[in-house]
């Protein structure tokens, strides 16, 4: 067993650091992403012809983790490269790959995954957004909810009903939609923390027949894969690590008696976060190409999400109440934001209940981690 | 990172599983190791205990824990071998030394250790006991799942209800978390990196997960679980872990002290 990155992964992380350090502290996040893309670091697991380096998913995870640690908008990056990019790579046509993957790997565009709707959150088969045939193409009408950074995106992978269903999962297709097209409206929706959610409304938006990704009407089986690509847990993991570091920093500023009182819980959280990290790397390390075992991924996502939540919850209930709210501590600010953001981690990218269903169905249960 | 056991480690676990399956009830863990041929190098492909690192011991102890084999002698032998190795002695050339170690440990097996285990055990002693605790928990979980798959309630199998299914899943996640902590700490120790607060954290997490699993085991059986000898035996074995590993609260206190003492450089830092 090995609990550290291997030499090639460590070298990649060092390359990310060197590039971003040399670019100076004032380079805006999107330009940092483009810089990494220019050096083929954004999607190192893509084939060389699509802007990658033909490396493994674990190599990509090492880069993604470091991007998150450096405060880059990892959600935007993970959704673009993993959820949308990998779906195009695995299920798209050669024309779609040629049209989009070089731009995605190059950090020249961000993309969104638009699945949830007001009445269909975790139940992705319950969507009402629909498309009707129009000439050689399709017209899409409906609204997608709770998407992050859609206002930064120029492309979306969107689930749409294309015919009345013969059964619950029938009649769903996936479309690539240009978000600058006529009839697309992106509007902000209140969110407890950070950037607002985006609601994306389609008002008879015309797309070509070459926008369909995967089989028409039978896109449902692709959906879990698309979510699975995104659902590695590394976005949660980087939060957990950052929040834990902030919590430790705050604890070390406390008087000795409080430091001693809180030390056991800090040790507990450190242990949990480090284990979650090992699980996440195990999940990507055992992938067959881009194909990760869904049960292993369920463990990793749950472990990372709940570890981050545990840090935030402890900070919110124990640590922050004994720190001075007016002393301008940056670590305390990080923890206040953590408390607001943490609930999302067992909801987004496949709710906790879905992960638990996957884990409970294994026989014997727990087999993937022994 | 790579959490895959080596071929030898898989063989070790498979040999123990076979030996455990045919061992009579009440067989001690050391005797199962003997029956599996893991206490003697003669003619075996799988390395014997004299060549094991801490991770190998942990994999073995988890497997032995699933059937709740009494591990007192095995743990004592491990501690003695560890002490010899810490003193710089080469044990792999000394199978006779093992015989004398086992004889001495057998004679001392009934003597309770001094002080609370949470304070008196070495870090390595805590890690290996944590592995055994995970085995007890795993035994509970697998029996609970088997019962939930068989038992019919209101015309449906118990495991088809989301409540029981998710409780079992949660237990599996807790055990996986504890197991990875043990593997991480043991791998580090084998590579010369002290586990620090991670050792007590392993033990505290593992005992907690095993006790949770024991409750799920009884719950899955319903009232029948409280009069099923196998269920009761595993339930008691889970609670006995607090005596062999230490109470979780005291273990976390130890982990906290170690974290404070180590400062920002403690080894399990992310």
């Amino acid at each position: 067993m090995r609990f550290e990155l291997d030499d090639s992964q460590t070298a990649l992380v060092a390359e990310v650091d060197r590039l971003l350090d040399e670019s100076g502290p004032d380079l805006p996040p999107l330009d940092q992403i483009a810089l990494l893309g220019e050096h083929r670091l954004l999607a190192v697991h893509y084939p060389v012809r699509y802007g990658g380096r033909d490396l493994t998913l674990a190599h990509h995870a090492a880069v993604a983790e470091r991007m998150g640690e450096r405060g880059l908008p990892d959600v935007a990056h993970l959704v673009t490269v993993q959820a949308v990019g990998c779906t195009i790579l695995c299920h798209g046509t050669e024309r779609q790959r040629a049209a989009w993957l070089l731009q995605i790997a190059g950090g020249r565009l961000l993309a969104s995954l638009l699945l949830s709707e007001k009445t269909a959150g975790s139940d992705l088969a319950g969507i009402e957004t629909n498309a009707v045939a129009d000439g050689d193409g399709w017209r899409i009408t409906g609204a997608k909810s709770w998407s992050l950074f859609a206002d930064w995106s120029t492309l979306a992978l969107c689930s749409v009903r294309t015919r009345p269903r013969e059964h619950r999962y029938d009649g769903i297709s996936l479309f690539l939609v240009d978000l600058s097209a006529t009839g697309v409206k992106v509007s902000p929706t209140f969110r407890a923390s950070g950037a607002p959610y985006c609601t994306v409304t389609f008002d008879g938006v015309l797309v070509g027949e070459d926008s369909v990704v995967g089989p028409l009407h039978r896109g449902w089986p692709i959906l879990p894969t698309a979510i699975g690509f995104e659902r590695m847990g590394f976005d949660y993991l980087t939060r957990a690590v950052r929040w834990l570091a902030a919590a430790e920093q705050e604890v070390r500023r406390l008087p000795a008696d409080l430091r001693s009182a809180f030390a056991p819980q800090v040790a507990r959280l450190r242990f949990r976060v480090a284990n979650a990290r090992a699980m996440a790397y195990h999940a990507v390390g055992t992938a067959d190409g881009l194909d990760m075992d869904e049960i292993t991924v369920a463990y990793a996502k749950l472990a990372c999400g709940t570890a981050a939540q545990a840090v935030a919850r402890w900070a919110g209930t124990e640590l922050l109440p004994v720190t001075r709210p007016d002393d301008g501590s940056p670590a305390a600010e990080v923890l206040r934001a953590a408390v607001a953001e943490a609930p999302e981690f067992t909801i987004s990218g496949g709710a906790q209940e879905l992960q638990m269903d996957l884990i409970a169905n294994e026989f014997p249960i727990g087999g993937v981690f022994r | 990172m790579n959490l895959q056991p080596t071929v030898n480690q898989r063989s070790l676990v498979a040999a123990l599983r076979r030996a455990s399956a045919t061992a009579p009830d009440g067989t001690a863990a050391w005797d199962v190791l003997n029956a599996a041929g893991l206490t003697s190098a003669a003619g075996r492909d799988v390395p014997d205990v004299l060549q094991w690192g801490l991770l190998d011991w942990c994999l073995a102890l988890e497997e032995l824990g699933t059937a709740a084999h009494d591990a007192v002698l095995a743990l004592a032998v491990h501690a003695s071998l560890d002490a010899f190795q810490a003193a710089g002695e080469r044990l792999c050339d000394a199978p006779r030394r093992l015989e004398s170690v086992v004889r001495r440990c057998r004679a001392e097996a009934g003597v309770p250790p001094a002080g609370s285990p949470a304070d008196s055990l070495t870090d390595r002693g805590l890690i290996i006991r944590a592995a055994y605790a995970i085995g007890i928990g795993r035994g509970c979980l697998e029996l609970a799942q088997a019962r939930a798959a068989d038992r019919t309630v209101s015309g449906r199998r118990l495991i088809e209800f989301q409540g029981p299914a998710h409780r079992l899943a949660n237990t599996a996640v807790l055990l996986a978390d504890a197991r990875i902590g043990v593997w991480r700490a043991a791998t580090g120790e084998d590579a010369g990196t002290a586990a620090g607060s991670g050792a007590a954290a392993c033990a505290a997490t593992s005992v907690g997960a095993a006790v949770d699993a024991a409750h799920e085991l009884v719950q899955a059986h319903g009232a029948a679980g409280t009069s099923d000898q196998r269920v009761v035996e595993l339930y008691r074995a889970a609670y006995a872990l607090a005596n062999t590993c230490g109470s979780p609260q005291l273990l976390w206190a130890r982990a906290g002290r170690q974290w404070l003492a180590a400062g920002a450089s403690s080894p399990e830092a992310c």
Side-chain angles (χ1 to χ4, degrees), chain A residues 1-4 248 252 263-264 268 270-271 274-275 277 279 282 286 299 356-357 360 362 364-365 369-370, chain B residues 1-4 138 141-142 145 165-166 172 177 179-181 183-184 187 201 205 252 256 259 263 266 269:
Chain A
M1 291 184 198
R2 178 191 179 96
F3 285 85
E4 304 87 29
E248 289 193 58
R252 291 195 187 281
R268 186 192 290 251
R270 285 167 67 89
F271 184 72
N275 291 346
R277 181 170 186 259
M279 272 196 209
H282 178 67
T286 53
Y299 275 91
M356 294 293 233
D357 283 345
E362 189 192 11
I365 192 167
F369 275 102
R370 13 173 233 276
Chain B
M1 290 188 200
N2 170 14
L3 307 191
Q4 303 290 352
R138 193 179 114 200
L141 178 60
E142 289 178 359
Q145 189 190 25
H166 283 193
D177 174 46
R179 179 183 294 114
I180 283 176
W183 287 355
R184 204 160 49 79
T187 302
T205 304
W252 283 122
W259 171 72
S266 63

Side-chain angles (χ1 to χ4, degrees), chain A residues 185-201:
Chain A
K185 185 180 168 198
V186 180
S187 44
T189 300
F190 171 76
R191 178 174 172 235
S193 165
Y197 290 118
C198 295
T199 298
V200 182
T201 309

Side-chain angles (χ1 to χ4, degrees), chain B residues 124-135:
Chain B
R124 292 169 68 85
L126 284 175
I127 294 166
I128 193 173
R129 281 164 178 77
Y132 181 72
I134 291 163

Side-chain angles (χ1 to χ4, degrees), chain B residues 22-36:
Chain B
T22 55
D25 284 350
T27 305
W30 182 257
D31 296 325
V32 179
L33 285 166
N34 250 327

